[in-house]
Amino acid sequence: LNRIKASGLKLRFCTNETQATREKFVKKLQGMGFDISVAEVTAPAPAACRLLRERSLRPHLLVHNDLVPEFAEIDKANPNCVVIGDAAENFTYANLNEAFRVLIGMEKPVLISLGRGRYYKETDGLKLDVGAYMKALEYACDVQAEVVGKPAKTFFESALAEMGVPAQQAIMIGDDIVNDVGGAQRCGMRALQVRTGKYRSVHPLHP
């Protein structure tokens, strides 16, 4: 990263991190020695907030407690949509059922998901990601979720717009063949998969 920055190339950190605010996420990386600022991070929560304001939507949040501050300025009274993120321990039956009841009670349900990843890797192993729970609500409510994180085209386009770089002149580097590589390629970017993190030589779902 230091070499990329020293070269003068433009850089954005595109993350589907939805267990913490950008500030907390950046502070963690800075503590590891990375030269990174909040302005360099493209994340799902701020993108969702822009969408909510544009469409006058009031969300019922099914997200991680540490992410709630990102929605501080958003009206959440009398919800007319559900926003789901990687809620981790908040993915209880009761919380999922509450989100289900909000959606099923709408004439035209609106489900916004901060990503659609199947799983991710933590120090203690692989963990189910938001996509699995998003699919459960889609199935139960017969609704199609609107994804605002990777691999959504609009997410990558937002990062490109922030840098002022056309897709053809950008490359995405990540460990996820579907959300990083696939999403970037559908946006017209080149992509490079690193063999670290969640990388598998044989993908369990795409052998």
Side-chain angles (χ1 to χ4, degrees), residues 5 12 28 41 44 48 59 85 94 96 105 107 118 153 164 201-202:
K5 289 192 171 188
R12 275 294 179 282
K28 178 181 177 181
V41 177
L96 275 167
E107 186 177 342
R118 292 184 171 113
K153 189 176 180 182
S201 58
V202 176

Side-chain angles (χ1 to χ4, degrees), residues 5-22:
K5 289 192 171 188
S7 72
L9 292 171
K10 293 181 180 179
L11 175 70
R12 275 294 179 282
F13 297 89
C14 295
T15 177
N16 267 7
E17 171 62 60
T18 58
Q19 285 195 16
T21 60
R22 284 169 297 162

